[in-house]
Amino acid sequence: MARYLTPAKIGLLALIELYVEEAVPRDAIIPVLSFLTSHILDSDLQSTTSTSTPGTGVANRWQRAERSIGLVVSVKDFEDLLLPFPAVDRLPGRRLWDRFLEKLWAIDSLDALQEFFSLRPRVLARTREELRRLAEAGEEAPTGILLARNSPLGAFVRKAVLEFTRLQFHHSAELWKAFVKYRQPTVAYWRRRNPHCGRLSFDSVLMEGQHEWGSFTDGIAVTAYGGMLMGQEDDALPVSTDDVESLLEFQIDQIQKYGARVPAEIKAKFHAMLRDSHVVPSLSHYLNFSDAWRSGDYPSAFDYLHRYFDYTMQNRDRLFYHYALMNLAIVQSDFGCHKEAMATMLETISTARENKDNTCLNFCLNWFYHFGRAHPDLVQDLEANSMIGSGKEALAFLRAKAKETGMLVLRSSALLSEAKLNMANGESIAGAMEHLVRSSQIIVERNMKSLFGSQLSVTTSLWDRLGISYLSSMTSEVFLRVHAPSACFDDELKMVCRLAGTLAGKGKYDEAFAKLEDGIDKNALRAAKPNQYWHLYRGLVKLRRDLHRNDLDTVETLLAQLLQVGSEELDPDVVFIIDSLHIEALIRRKNFDAAYEKIERLIAKFRDDHRDLSLRIRLLLVKAHLFDAMGRPDRGFSITMRAASLAWRARLLTLLWQAVGALANILNAMGEFPAAVQLVEAVLPRSMESENAFNTGMLYSILADARMGQAGKARKAGQATRTTKGEVSGPAASSVTNNKRTVFFKNADEALKCAFNHFSAAEDLEKQCETLAKRGTLMKVLGDHARAEELAARYMGLRRQSSSRDHSGL
């Protein structure tokens, strides 16, 4: 395998010569320069310009690797670029591709190849010394387009010439034979354009010597070129070590930046390039490690990690020992070995401090903070003995160190973590917003596109907590349409799942499943962790839908699968969603004892771990709901008041509306109907902004119960009035009472209609039946028996639908 030069690079040099000779037409200049820079520099201009179109970024991420491999393997990439453009001289039928082939076929021998490289410096601008020599010799300085020696194209030309001069003779011969094979697919086109082209035109030495050698010419050609002339295919690809290392670095960068695995097609092509390599680059071990890690292959990941760092330790002593430990700790944590990961990361921190590697040290401290938030029981003793404290103190320390060392990514991440900590502890929303704005300023000023995902994820969480669902959805859509191509796939996946959850909350389950299916890159789901998260969230949406449909047999099957996933492998929010849906299933099965035991166990766990305040409030509301389902809503009064107080103090407005609804339900049970009406009417408009159909339907149902209670109290008040004032004023008082009751009944019916519409949107059959039963009873009280019969028929239809779904589930 060559060190640098390949036939493809000779083609690039020929294309540069065309540009310098001004043989490229004006409309082809930008495509040609873009093509050259995309293959010479690390940046990819074509991919950068194409990602501005929504939805194309994910598909274009690997185009640079595909183009690099395609250029090395075949000359067709040059043809696709140059064939559409006419030649600059505008001769009929002549294309820019023809001029390029003239350059390639002019190299018709090993000597011509030597001369080709010896003439490359003429495309470069002359140095002062060279200009002085030309002036002394009386020669004029060259004019026209000349490449600056330090420009990207000029540096490429200089390096190519230098590498060619370093080649030994047999390496030059190998390069010449590889170039002949690389150019050979164009021979049919070249012969059509040049009829004088003969069978041996690829080598002028053979052409000139065939008259002298006669019948021995073919034998000499076979001896020189081997089986290539006899049609025997050689699987070896004309690649260089530089090409392989560049592709390795690109693939590793893509994996680390976006969290996705290498596509199978590119992986197969890359292995074909490495097949004939005598020396395997050490980075290939790291690439295999990253791929095995993302695929969930724990033993292979450890094997390749040890291979890579064993190689680097031999060459670089102990300078990179702590980086090996850091990678090992991250892998152990991802595969569930949390105690081992904690011990390894502590050793990493100690080693990085000894080596005074502030970059690695700050990264490890940041990782350890997030690890402690996810697993507080493992780091509890360490935090008690830590000099920098925990929570805010640790983040303030990280932010200060990041500012000192100029680590803007870490500084922005620390600010986002402070914002999340503020919201988790129920502190000031203004403080959280301040941290978000400061982080956003760093990201925008430094154009750190990869951090937009984390930034907007925290922003959507803030809007959700404030009950502004439409702003949360809009922020998620903006991220997916604008920033997803340059963000980590984990951020994109969580945004898609968040949108799917919002759609499911509105009752749009089909749209939620479509978002999960169509909004995700299938290649990225080949990674183990994202694939597990995607399947888990898809199962959660289906579980929520089946719970609302009262399909309890399917619910139990899904729960049996979801509860098998270890809680340490998932985010705390996802674990709580699974637990809350499990409790809801137990309540619907009337298994109140098991539901109560699980709630008490979770409350004790959250109290010890100091978890997110919103999770504790949700748990209190679930407990109040359990008491209501048991027929003892008054027992949840203190719990509901505590939940409402915490939600108001933390400005968790979505939970506050639920807590107020639960409190109004308790007031209904206590007979305090006017107070319940005031509470529900105060929060209903804001609850509708949260776009949760089931919660809004519950508020309307509670409002209808309160209106019915007011009607009952109005009847009792009317009876008391007739008793105290006598029969004279009785008819007038009875008329006023009946008018009041009629108004209350109508208001209750309107509330029940709205509740039924929201329950229908959420597809909750149980609540739909309950609402129809209440409306049917109300119609009977009003004397509208025809309407009552119609409602009863609809009720029976829903019951039959529910029973048929149960039988189909069995």
Side-chain angles (χ1 to χ4, degrees):
M1 179 182 290
R3 182 169 59 182
Y4 183 77
L5 286 177
T6 60
K9 287 188 171 66
I10 296 176
L12 292 175
L13 290 171
L15 189 58
I16 290 174
E17 186 178 14
L18 279 177
Y19 171 71
V20 170
E21 293 175 351
E22 301 185 29
V24 178
R26 182 171 300 177
D27 54 345
I29 289 177
I30 292 179
V32 166
L33 290 179
S34 298
F35 181 85
L36 288 170
T37 52
S38 65
H39 288 288
I40 292 174
L41 300 178
D42 290 336
S43 61
D44 191 350
L45 299 181
Q46 296 177 1
S47 176
T48 303
T49 55
S50 62
T51 54
S52 59
T53 304
T56 61
V58 176
N60 290 331
R61 285 175 183 170
W62 298 99
Q63 278 191 0
R64 178 188 163 196
E66 292 179 352
R67 285 197 296 267
S68 299
I69 295 174
L71 186 72
V72 167
V73 172
S74 171
V75 75
K76 192 175 187 309
D77 281 12
F78 287 106
E79 182 179 1
D80 294 339
L81 170 71
L82 303 176
L83 192 59
F85 300 105
V88 72
D89 50 19
R90 302 291 179 179
L91 291 177
R94 292 294 176 179
R95 317 297 295 175
L96 186 57
W97 172 241
D98 297 311
R99 299 293 176 248
F100 178 74
L101 288 183
E102 289 175 4
K103 296 290 183 182
L104 293 189
W105 283 92
I107 308 173
D108 54 4
S109 66
L110 181 57
D111 182 65
L113 181 65
Q114 181 80 30
E115 184 180 359
F116 175 80
F117 276 97
S118 65
L119 294 177
R120 291 311 91 200
R122 70 181 183 181
V123 303
L124 300 175
R126 303 300 185 263
T127 62
R128 289 185 179 180
E129 182 65 22
E130 291 173 339
L131 291 174
R132 185 179 63 79
R133 291 175 183 173
L134 289 175
E136 291 177 354
E139 299 178 6
E140 293 184 1
T143 58
I145 298 177
L146 294 175
L147 302 176
R149 306 180 75 86
N150 294 328
S151 66
L153 298 182
F156 171 72
V157 171
R158 291 169 59 202
K159 185 172 183 180
V161 173
L162 178 63
E163 291 293 336
F164 186 79
T165 58
R166 289 178 176 177
L167 291 180
Q168 298 181 6
F169 178 77
H170 67 279
H171 289 152
S172 300
E174 291 294 331
L175 176 62
W176 163 245
K177 288 191 287 186
F179 175 72
V180 170
K181 180 182 176 182
Y182 185 79
R183 185 185 57 186
Q184 194 61 23
T186 65
V187 66
Y189 183 88
W190 180 247
R191 283 175 180 169
R192 287 199 305 268
R193 294 293 186 179
N194 300 274
H196 64 276
C197 178
R199 183 172 61 91
L200 298 176
S201 296
F202 64 91
D203 192 332
S204 61
V205 176
L206 294 175
M207 284 282 291
E208 294 172 1
Q210 64 180 339
H211 303 293
E212 178 183 351
W213 300 326
S215 60
F216 295 102
T217 305
D218 291 341
I220 295 174
V222 171
T223 303
Y225 291 98
M228 184 177 66
L229 298 180
M230 303 177 66
Q232 297 178 3
E233 293 293 332
D234 185 7
D235 293 335
L237 297 176
V239 296
S240 64
T241 305
D242 178 74
D243 294 328
V244 172
E245 290 181 351
S246 176
L247 280 172
L248 276 172
E249 292 173 359
F250 172 75
Q251 292 176 80
I252 292 173
D253 179 68
Q254 293 292 302
I255 292 174
Q256 292 180 339
K257 184 182 293 185
Y258 301 115
R261 295 178 63 190
V262 181
E265 301 82 5
I266 296 179
K267 189 176 180 180
K269 293 177 181 178
F270 182 72
H271 282 304
M273 293 174 64
L274 284 179
R275 188 182 306 149
D276 300 302
S277 175
H278 299 291
V279 179
V280 178
S282 61
L283 276 178
S284 64
H285 298 309
Y286 194 83
L287 176 63
N288 292 331
F289 152 70
S290 300
D291 192 66
W293 171 23
R294 298 295 178 184
S295 66
D297 189 353
Y298 185 71
S300 297
F302 270 87
D303 181 33
Y304 286 121
L305 182 65
H306 283 289
R307 286 190 192 182
Y308 173 70
F309 281 103
D310 284 346
Y311 180 84
T312 55
M313 290 287 286
Q314 292 175 5
N315 292 274
R316 303 177 185 176
D317 201 12
R318 292 179 57 86
L319 293 178
F320 288 85
Y321 175 66
H322 49 288
Y323 284 101
L325 291 174
M326 182 183 69
N327 280 272
L328 181 60
I330 295 173
V331 173
Q332 286 173 334
S333 175
D334 270 6
F335 285 106
C337 306
H338 300 296
K339 291 183 179 180
E340 293 84 350
M342 184 180 68
T344 306
M345 189 57 76
L346 288 174
E347 185 179 354
T348 307
I349 293 172
S350 176
T351 309
R353 187 181 291 115
E354 291 176 4
N355 293 338
K356 296 182 180 180
D357 190 341
N358 290 325
T359 302
C360 180
L361 178 62
N362 291 337
F363 176 85
C364 293
L365 290 174
N366 185 47
W367 182 92
F368 205 85
Y369 165 77
H370 291 286
F371 180 83
R373 294 291 299 174
H375 310 283
D377 52 325
L378 295 177
V379 300
Q380 189 172 4
D381 296 335
L382 291 174
E383 288 185 346
N385 300 323
S386 175
M387 295 295 292
I388 63 174
S390 60
K392 286 186 174 181
E393 295 83 1
L395 288 175
F397 172 79
L398 281 174
R399 183 156 44 86
K401 297 298 291 183
K403 188 175 182 180
E404 289 177 8
T405 55
M407 298 178 62
L408 297 176
V409 174
L410 178 60
R411 187 180 174 192
S412 175
S413 176
L415 287 168
L416 292 177
S417 298
E418 285 189 83
K420 288 192 284 188
L421 186 63
N422 272 15
M423 292 189 289
N425 294 337
E427 298 176 6
S428 170
I429 294 296
M433 186 63 75
E434 177 189 355
H435 293 310
L436 278 174
V437 171
R438 292 173 63 188
S439 172
S440 178
Q441 181 183 6
I442 295 173
I443 293 172
V444 172
E445 285 182 351
R446 302 295 179 173
N447 196 28
M448 297 186 292
K449 296 181 180 180
S450 60
L451 293 182
F452 272 112
S454 302
Q455 168 78 22
L456 296 181
S457 178
V458 180
T459 305
T460 53
S461 298
L462 178 63
W463 297 137
D464 281 335
R465 285 170 176 259
L466 293 176
I468 313 176
S469 178
Y470 58 89
L471 274 182
S472 173
S473 300
M474 183 193 71
T475 305
S476 300
E477 287 287 354
V478 166
F479 168 78
L480 292 176
R481 296 186 180 209
V482 180
H483 303 295
S486 55
C488 178
F489 177 71
D490 289 342
D491 296 330
E492 180 183 354
L493 177 62
K494 289 180 180 180
M495 283 292 189
V496 171
C497 291
R498 184 188 294 273
L499 279 176
T502 302
L503 291 171
K506 298 177 183 179
K508 301 177 180 179
Y509 299 107
D510 293 337
E511 293 184 23
F513 285 122
K515 175 64 73 174
L516 288 173
E517 292 289 343
D518 302 333
I520 300 293
D521 177 36
K522 300 305 179 185
N523 176 68
L525 286 178
R526 292 172 58 234
K529 282 284 184 180
N531 188 53
Q532 180 192 30
Y533 190 89
W534 181 80
H535 277 96
L536 182 68
Y537 217 91
R538 196 171 182 276
L540 288 176
V541 174
K542 189 175 188 306
L543 178 60
R544 184 177 298 176
R545 182 191 64 183
D546 292 337
L547 264 177
H548 285 309
R549 291 180 176 180
N550 212 34
D551 190 358
L552 298 181
D553 295 318
T554 306
V555 165
E556 287 186 356
T557 303
L558 286 171
L559 279 172
Q561 298 174 7
L562 292 172
L563 292 172
Q564 289 178 1
V565 183
S567 59
E568 294 184 349
E569 301 178 13
L570 304 174
D571 293 338
D573 293 342
V574 178
V575 174
F576 180 79
I577 292 174
I578 296 174
D579 289 332
S580 61
L581 292 176
H582 185 208
I583 294 170
E584 177 66 23
L586 292 174
I587 292 174
R588 289 185 180 242
R589 283 287 191 186
K590 309 299 181 184
N591 192 354
F592 300 127
D593 293 336
Y596 184 80
E597 290 176 3
K598 180 152 191 173
I599 290 173
E600 289 297 320
R601 186 166 62 251
L602 290 175
I603 288 177
K605 179 182 177 182
F606 285 4
R607 188 185 302 116
D608 296 338
D609 293 347
H610 304 289
R611 290 295 180 94
D612 191 340
L613 183 63
S614 67
L615 301 183
R616 286 183 274 169
I617 296 174
R618 290 177 191 275
L619 205 53
L620 293 175
L621 293 175
V622 170
K623 190 173 183 180
H625 171 58
L626 174 63
F627 286 136
D628 180 47
M630 294 168 62
R632 299 290 301 276
D634 51 311
R635 288 193 59 185
F637 181 76
S638 60
I639 297 172
T640 307
M641 287 296 296
R642 183 183 173 195
S645 175
L646 290 174
W648 170 249
R649 189 174 63 194
R651 296 299 187 269
L652 295 168
L653 300 186
T654 304
L655 298 179
L656 179 61
W657 314 145
Q658 297 180 38
V660 169
L663 183 60
N665 186 48
I666 295 172
L667 292 176
N668 281 340
M670 298 173 125
E672 299 294 335
F673 304 114
V677 169
Q678 289 180 359
L679 286 175
V680 175
E681 288 184 341
V683 302
L684 251 177
R686 296 298 303 275
S687 177
M688 295 178 72
E689 288 182 0
S690 65
E691 298 182 341
N692 190 302
F694 182 79
N695 291 339
T696 306
M698 286 297 299
L699 288 175
Y700 271 116
S701 179
I702 293 169
L703 178 61
D705 293 342
R707 292 297 189 188
M708 291 295 292
Q710 284 183 311
K713 278 201 167 185
R715 180 183 179 185
K716 290 181 180 179
Q719 291 176 350
T721 302
R722 287 198 301 272
T723 304
T724 55
K725 293 186 177 181
E727 296 296 331
V728 177
S729 59
S734 177
S735 176
V736 173
T737 300
N738 289 335
N739 290 336
K740 284 185 178 181
R741 290 183 66 206
T742 303
V743 172
F744 287 139
F745 284 146
K746 288 183 178 180
N747 291 337
D749 187 53
E750 289 296 327
L752 287 173
K753 286 181 182 178
C754 293
F756 182 81
N757 291 335
H758 282 89
F759 289 139
S760 299
E763 299 185 13
D764 194 302
L765 289 178
E766 195 69 25
K767 290 298 180 181
Q768 288 181 64
C769 292
E770 179 184 325
T771 306
L772 287 176
K774 289 179 179 179
R775 288 193 66 198
T777 304
L778 179 59
M779 291 300 109
K780 285 186 178 180
V781 172
L782 292 174
D784 192 348
H785 296 286
R787 185 64 175 156
E789 290 294 333
E790 179 188 347
L791 292 170
R794 291 173 63 187
Y795 174 87
M796 294 305 298
L798 285 175
R799 281 298 179 193
R800 283 193 295 271
Q801 181 181 349
S802 177
S803 61
S804 64
R805 182 172 285 122
D806 290 342
H807 288 305
S808 64
L810 290 173

